[in-house]
Amino acid sequence: MDGDSPRPPRRPEREGSYNYDIESMDGSGAGGVPPWRPQNGSSEALLRYDDGGGAGDRGSTYEPLLRKRTMNTTSQIAIVGANVCPIESLDYEVVENDLFKQDWRSRKKKQIFQYVVLKWSLVLLIGLLTGVVGFFNNLAVENIAGLKLLRTSDLMLEGRYIKAFFVYGGCNLVLAASAAAICAYIAPAAAGSGIPEVKAYLNGVDAYSILAPSTLFVKIFGSILGVSAGFVLGKEGPMVHTGACIANLLGQGGSRKYHLTCNWLRYFKNDRDRRDLITCGSAAGVAAAFRAPVGGVLFALEEAASWWRSALLWRTFFTTAVVAVVLRGLIEFCRSGKCGLFGQGGLIMFDLSSTVATYSTPDLIVIIVLGIIGGIFGGLFNFLLDKILRVYSIINERGAPFKILLTITISVITSMCSYGLPWLAACTRCPVDAAEQCPTVGRSGNYKNFQCPPGYYNDLASLFFNTNDDAIRNLFSNGTATEFRMSSLFIFFTAIYCLGLVTYGVAVPSGLFIPVILAGATYGRIVGTLLGSISDLDPGLFALLGAASFLGGTMRMTVSVCVILLELTNDLPMLPLVMLVLLISKTIADNFNKGVYDQIVVMKGLPFMEAHAEPYMRHLVAGDVVSGPLITFSGVEKVGNIVHALRITGHNGFPVVDEPPITETPELVGLVTRSHLLVLLNSKNFMKGRVKTSGSFVLRRFGAFDFAKPGSGKGLKIEDLDFTDEEMDMYVDLHPITNTSPYTVVETMSLAKAAILFRELGLRHLLVVPKAPDRPPIVGILTRHDFMPEHIHSLFPNLNPHKYHSASMAG
């Protein structure tokens, strides 16, 4: 073959398949260039393309949020926050080229010690900073929301109810509009909880600005403003995203732009170490939000991380322990009253340890009923949330002003509900044996005065006219069996369930944990009150079990939620009951749909690799889904060919094949990445003839860290390089920078087996080699998008992946 041009070994095209590689926009593959690929990378050009056989004509389970997208959207773009952005995969695989081998041979014990010490130092900093941010969030929310509620209560005590509503609603409106404005204009990726994005990142999916400094800024202050605005949302999900952003910022390997470079920091210029740090950050976020250090570790293990090992377990445990120590110290400082309206909160947020939990067979029957209810409500919640998010996507696509308008509308509705609905509740006489002041004036409590005369309280206002944390504390309170009317609990549950649905999806950082706990605790107390004649458990304990059942029905997490709830309430005797209700609710809800975060990952179009292969993959082999034509390079390649291939494609990896006269027969050398090619081309160490070198000039001129992946800043681009005609006709030896040990599979391997291998090893590229020796040495490259149902369906329209998927869900 002529060495002057890329050699595309093609395989016969199948009926209905593409004649280009579906990976071209992701940058992960190595195929040809579709003629519709926009040169400026604009998402608008992508949205106008229609291949006539994509994902848009199928059911809503796999249909991404954007409208009018009928191509395999998960292969090119996804929704991050509320914006569309291009996505790529992360490079977790070690590139074993000559530079890497030389680096490891020359690395001394001192350098290895530096690396280990720095890694532990970074997880220490992650714990410290996340703990401080978590405390700052709580402090700001309690003071901002507390001042708003105090001012409104003072006006109501004076009988100025209309002015009180305008003050209350006006404050909520300003706070909500501010949160939406900074989110829509500064960092759209900060919208939502952020857990789906972090989960996808740890699975190997990278998207612009998921963990950027601007996203961290908006996540912190947007969450404070959103929670203070009275929205039915929590700061727990955003805290997970915040912890991940902090970890990503610390793991950038320094910054040349701000002159924060150090030889030690260069060790972290790779996606593998950043992945570990971000896992620690997500665990620290849960620990800071719930004050549950062990629950944070289990959350990272069960829900967030896709890859786990014992060393990572130790680091996450250490990080969450640091968070707990920081929170304990700062809370003790605030006990002296120096933190305004922060209160006397301890590390245990809702202490139920004084309740004696003894249960019998009738109690277990009631708890089983509670688990079934939680599973049904959780499945319904996820179904309705799916529909609402699709409606919101139509509004969000119209731009930032419409995002802000939607947020303001939901804020007005929330203010009207939280201020207006308590007027439906009758005033209740204060109990003569009340353990605290009744009615409660000037602080949070169970006995809100609202519009009632002296000596009476409004039970519904005790739930609505409070911060979300205080409302949960009131529902969890023990010894309050008669203090909440059944009608008030029904009204509150209906309102919170509906408001939680319509609030998630607006352009503010918002978590689902608090709305779910609020709704679950409410119907738990309802069930406990209704069945109190056959059960001896306190209604406050039923509220805890109801929260657990709803969390299991929506999140589908079991171990981590169980431990988080026990750490929240300090109620270890309830462990068996919480475990039982979680298992029941998850089992019931799994018959309807996926967990809420898994569902949102699919809706956003993030190509998430599951731990298991779908059943329909057993009917296919690896060679069935790779698409051509495939672009390869010779071991010694002409500069013009490389530049041309980089300019017309967005691929990240290119196979390197040695051919005669360098070798007797075509031979697969390995895989070279785009970033390494750009660094080598930028050096302009070219040769006039096509001769294989020893690679010594590369080893002398470069070090392994010269090819390290840049942080959040932009690396080299082909558009930044300029070559003369003479240079374009010269050659460059690719052997020193080629990964000579890429993972390969034979083309006859089942696609299911290849998917398990791809996911377990955290790969970005999986080379497919032929079974017959007389064929070209490379058939194609598998990337994560080749395993997506949309891509497989486009290649095999007669094979219905969703039928097999539904069967596996039912099984």
Side-chain angles (χ1 to χ4, degrees):
M1 300 178 80
D2 185 5
D4 293 346
S5 61
R7 284 144 304 283
R10 303 171 183 258
R11 59 186 180 83
E13 294 181 7
R14 295 177 301 275
E15 182 179 355
S17 68
Y18 296 113
N19 61 356
Y20 55 83
D21 186 357
I22 199 71
E23 291 297 314
S24 60
M25 280 302 293
D26 169 68
S28 300
V33 185
W36 48 268
R37 184 177 189 270
Q39 296 302 311
N40 60 0
S42 66
S43 58
E44 289 77 13
L46 284 170
L47 292 176
R48 289 193 294 269
Y49 175 71
D50 182 1
D51 65 23
D57 56 347
R58 293 190 295 280
S60 61
T61 304
Y62 283 86
E63 179 182 301
L65 281 176
L66 283 183
R67 299 173 299 138
K68 300 179 183 178
R69 297 196 299 176
T70 56
M71 59 180 169
N72 180 7
T73 51
T74 58
S75 295
Q76 292 87 26
I77 55 176
I79 300 175
V80 177
N83 269 22
V84 182
C85 70
I87 56 173
E88 291 194 8
S89 297
L90 295 168
D91 296 290
Y92 292 150
E93 182 184 357
V94 176
V95 179
E96 293 186 349
N97 53 26
D98 291 346
L99 289 165
F100 172 82
K101 295 171 184 176
Q102 182 193 48
D103 176 65
W104 273 103
R105 284 194 296 264
S106 62
R107 191 168 292 189
K108 300 177 181 178
K109 290 184 178 179
K110 177 183 176 182
Q111 293 173 310
I112 297 174
F113 178 75
Q114 288 176 347
Y115 169 76
V116 174
V117 170
L118 183 58
K119 199 160 191 177
W120 282 99
S121 301
L122 287 177
V123 296
L124 172 64
L125 285 174
I126 291 169
L128 289 172
L129 292 176
T130 307
V132 171
V133 169
F135 176 79
F136 172 73
N137 279 7
N138 287 330
L139 181 65
V141 168
E142 292 293 329
N143 279 280
I144 295 174
L147 288 172
K148 174 189 69 179
L149 293 172
L150 278 178
R151 178 56 181 159
T152 306
S153 297
D154 290 342
L155 290 172
M156 295 190 72
L157 289 174
E158 298 172 7
R160 303 162 70 181
Y161 299 119
I162 296 178
K163 184 177 181 180
F165 170 72
F166 280 106
V167 169
Y168 177 73
C171 290
N172 287 344
L173 190 65
V174 172
L175 293 169
S178 302
I182 63 172
C183 188
Y185 287 106
I186 298 178
S193 73
I195 292 179
E197 285 84 355
V198 173
K199 184 176 179 178
Y201 185 94
L202 293 177
N203 189 260
V205 180
D206 189 19
Y208 176 73
S209 77
I210 283 182
L211 303 173
S214 59
T215 303
L216 173 62
F217 170 82
V218 174
K219 208 73 182 183
I220 295 173
F221 292 98
S223 178
I224 292 172
L225 294 171
V227 176
S228 301
F231 281 125
V232 181
L233 51 83
K235 52 187 177 294
E236 287 70 21
M239 270 307 303
V240 174
H241 197 176
T242 298
C245 289
I246 291 173
N248 180 69
L249 194 61
L250 293 175
Q252 290 297 308
S255 171
R256 293 180 182 177
K257 180 179 179 181
Y258 298 105
H259 306 290
L260 299 174
T261 55
C262 176
N263 286 334
W264 286 25
L265 293 174
R266 63 183 183 175
Y267 297 128
F268 293 90
K269 288 184 176 292
N270 63 82
D271 288 329
R272 296 182 305 280
D273 287 316
R274 289 174 192 158
R275 174 186 64 189
D276 291 350
L277 293 176
I278 289 169
T279 303
C280 293
S282 64
V286 174
F290 290 106
R291 306 176 194 176
V294 180
V297 176
L298 294 175
F299 174 85
L301 171 61
E302 183 180 7
E303 183 67 13
S306 293
W307 295 278
W308 198 264
R309 62 185 190 279
S310 58
L312 185 57
L313 175 66
W314 279 103
R315 290 192 181 95
T316 53
F317 187 73
F318 174 72
T319 308
T320 57
V322 171
V323 172
V325 171
V326 170
L327 288 176
R328 172 72 72 179
L330 293 173
I331 289 171
E332 288 297 327
F333 171 78
C334 284
R335 288 186 184 276
S336 60
K338 298 179 180 179
C339 299
L341 299 175
F342 184 72
Q344 301 293 320
L347 202 59
I348 304 299
M349 294 177 67
F350 314 116
D351 195 347
L352 298 179
S353 58
S354 60
T355 305
V356 179
T358 57
Y359 37 88
S360 57
T361 302
D363 296 327
L364 295 178
I365 296 174
V366 176
I367 290 165
I368 291 173
V369 172
L370 200 59
I372 294 172
I373 295 173
I376 295 172
F377 278 147
L380 178 63
F381 187 90
N382 291 0
F383 173 79
L384 295 175
L385 187 64
D386 179 289
K387 302 301 181 185
I388 291 171
L389 288 178
R390 296 182 191 283
V391 175
Y392 282 2
S393 70
I394 301 173
I395 302 173
N396 291 333
E397 285 177 7
R398 300 176 68 88
F402 287 88
K403 296 178 185 178
I404 298 173
L405 181 61
L406 175 62
T407 305
I408 290 174
T409 302
I410 301 300
S411 174
V412 171
I413 294 173
T414 303
S415 298
M416 293 174 65
C417 289
S418 55
Y419 187 88
L421 290 178
W423 291 87
L424 301 177
C427 293
T428 306
R429 184 180 294 276
C430 289
V432 294
D433 56 346
E436 59 179 270
Q437 176 190 1
C438 180
T440 305
V441 178
R443 60 182 179 83
S444 61
N446 280 19
Y447 306 105
K448 286 292 183 183
N449 178 265
F450 207 65
Q451 88 289 6
C452 297
Y456 289 80
Y457 72 95
N458 187 316
D459 60 341
L460 193 52
S462 301
L463 302 175
F464 269 120
F465 217 62
N466 251 327
T467 62
N468 292 330
D469 288 351
D470 287 332
I472 295 173
R473 189 174 288 108
N474 291 341
L475 289 168
F476 281 1
S477 60
N478 54 69
T480 57
T482 61
E483 291 175 8
F484 295 97
R485 296 172 182 266
M486 190 64 64
S487 58
S488 298
L489 291 174
F490 272 110
I491 293 172
F492 186 71
F493 169 72
T494 304
I496 290 299
Y497 195 93
C498 296
L499 288 174
L501 285 169
V502 299
T503 302
Y504 191 85
V506 299
V508 296
S510 55
L512 282 172
F513 273 99
I514 289 300
V516 169
I517 291 176
L518 269 174
T522 305
Y523 74 70
R525 185 172 271 270
I526 290 173
V527 172
T529 304
L530 288 174
L531 303 179
S533 58
I534 64 172
S535 174
D536 297 328
L537 292 179
D538 188 271
L541 297 180
F542 273 107
L544 170 63
L545 294 172
S549 70
F550 202 11
L551 283 169
T554 54
M555 312 292 182
R556 314 294 161 83
M557 294 182 285
T558 52
V559 180
S560 55
V561 166
C562 180
V563 174
I564 287 172
L565 288 175
L566 293 179
E567 290 186 279
L568 272 176
T569 58
N570 196 28
D571 196 6
L572 190 58
M574 293 295 289
L575 174 61
L577 301 184
V578 174
M579 293 173 64
L580 178 63
V581 79
L582 279 169
L583 289 171
I584 294 173
S585 62
K586 181 185 184 303
T587 302
I588 295 295
D590 278 341
N591 291 289
F592 300 112
N593 43 44
K594 287 186 174 183
V596 64
Y597 295 130
D598 295 324
Q599 193 170 278
I600 292 173
V601 164
V602 174
M603 284 192 295
K604 286 177 174 289
L606 297 167
F608 188 87
M609 290 289 295
E610 297 287 353
H612 62 277
E614 298 294 348
Y616 62 83
M617 291 184 179
R618 302 190 187 104
H619 300 271
L620 302 171
V621 295
D624 288 333
V625 297
V626 292
S627 302
L630 179 71
I631 296 178
T632 66
F633 294 136
S634 285
V636 180
E637 185 61 86
K638 179 179 279 190
V639 173
N641 291 340
I642 299 175
V643 172
H644 178 69
L646 295 179
R647 284 176 177 170
I648 68 171
T649 71
H651 311 323
N652 177 72
F654 299 88
V656 177
V657 178
D658 271 345
E659 297 175 343
I662 296 178
T663 57
E664 294 182 0
T665 59
E667 177 184 308
L668 177 63
V669 178
L671 188 78
V672 64
T673 63
R674 169 180 287 265
S675 60
H676 288 189
L677 286 171
L678 290 172
V679 173
L680 190 61
L681 291 176
N682 190 45
S683 69
K684 298 193 175 183
N685 283 307
F686 306 142
M687 305 175 297
K688 292 185 177 180
R690 191 181 181 200
V691 180
K692 182 178 179 181
T693 67
S694 63
S696 57
F697 79 94
V698 174
L699 299 179
R700 288 195 307 268
R701 180 179 177 86
F702 296 103
F705 294 108
D706 293 321
F707 292 87
K709 186 172 182 177
S712 58
K714 296 180 180 178
L716 277 175
K717 292 184 177 181
I718 188 62
E719 293 81 7
D720 301 330
L721 306 183
D722 189 26
F723 303 96
T724 64
D725 293 339
E726 182 182 0
E727 289 172 335
M728 294 286 276
D729 289 330
M730 298 178 75
Y731 292 85
V732 62
D733 189 357
L734 302 181
H735 289 91
I737 64 168
T738 299
N739 181 7
T740 56
S741 56
Y743 287 95
T744 61
V745 297
V746 69
E747 60 182 336
T748 54
M749 176 183 282
S750 74
L751 190 61
K753 193 172 182 179
I756 295 297
L757 177 68
F758 192 95
R759 203 264 191 188
E760 291 298 322
L761 295 176
L763 302 180
R764 183 171 185 175
H765 312 99
L766 183 60
L767 274 60
V768 181
V769 297
K771 191 172 183 66
D774 57 342
R775 295 173 55 195
I778 178 74
V779 173
I781 296 180
L782 289 175
T783 63
R784 68 174 49 243
H785 300 296
D786 294 311
F787 298 101
M788 294 296 108
E790 290 79 5
H791 176 54
I792 296 172
H793 178 82
S794 69
L795 296 177
F796 301 94
N798 295 327
L799 178 68
N800 186 358
H802 309 293
K803 177 180 69 174
Y804 293 102
H805 178 79
S806 301
S808 67
M809 288 285 291

